[in-house]
Amino acid sequence: MDNNTRNNKYRKITISLSFIIPVIAVLIGLLAGNYAPFGNKNILNASTNDYILPYYYELYDRIHSGVFLGYSTTFGLGYDFSSLFSYHLSDPTNLIILLLPRDFIPAILNILYMIKIGLAGAFCSILLLSKKDNSKNNSKKFPTDSD
């Protein structure tokens, strides 16, 4: 096995573990804490962000009804839904909520939370591996004064 093949295998294993280990840690936390989809609690309620959950319901309702942008009077005196979307809801992974029934939104958000933590670990690993590769290449291109 040549050095390049070994490095590629090392990168794949490292990135995979960087995704899997955080996902397992969050999964254990969801199980131990009795959070959805394994229990009746919700991550959004635990982090005092339960005001966001109705926005996901409204996103679901708006997309399924065909009226997406515009002014909404669902909460309080009303608000511009496009600004709410751009601030809270524009993450592309949130579109997964549209694939399942509306009642599953809290469970879907908890699963998305777990997936996003795993993706953060994987992309951090990719960044650190690329920095490591760049530092090796730069040390070959620019020898120090002591060499």
Side-chain angles (χ1 to χ4, degrees), residues 47-134:
S47 66
T48 65
N49 287 330
D50 58 338
Y51 69 91
I52 294 176
L53 187 58
Y55 297 148
Y56 285 99
Y57 286 124
E58 185 169 359
L59 174 68
Y60 184 91
D61 294 340
R62 281 178 172 261
I63 289 182
H64 281 282
S65 69
V67 179
F68 183 63
L69 297 176
Y71 196 76
S72 176
T73 57
T74 307
F75 305 107
L77 297 173
Y79 54 90
D80 180 25
F81 187 75
S82 60
S83 62
L84 173 83
F85 177 79
S86 65
Y87 187 73
H88 288 290
L89 305 171
S90 61
D91 182 2
T93 59
N94 290 335
L95 296 177
I96 293 173
I97 69 169
L98 303 174
L99 301 176
L100 296 170
R102 188 178 191 269
D103 297 335
F104 293 155
I105 289 177
I108 295 168
L109 292 176
N110 288 338
I111 292 169
L112 283 176
Y113 173 75
M114 184 173 46
I115 291 170
K116 289 176 186 180
I117 295 290
L119 288 173
F123 285 120
C124 182
S125 176
I126 291 169
L127 173 73
L128 294 175
L129 288 171
S130 68
K131 293 291 184 182
K132 180 181 171 186
D133 292 343
N134 286 341

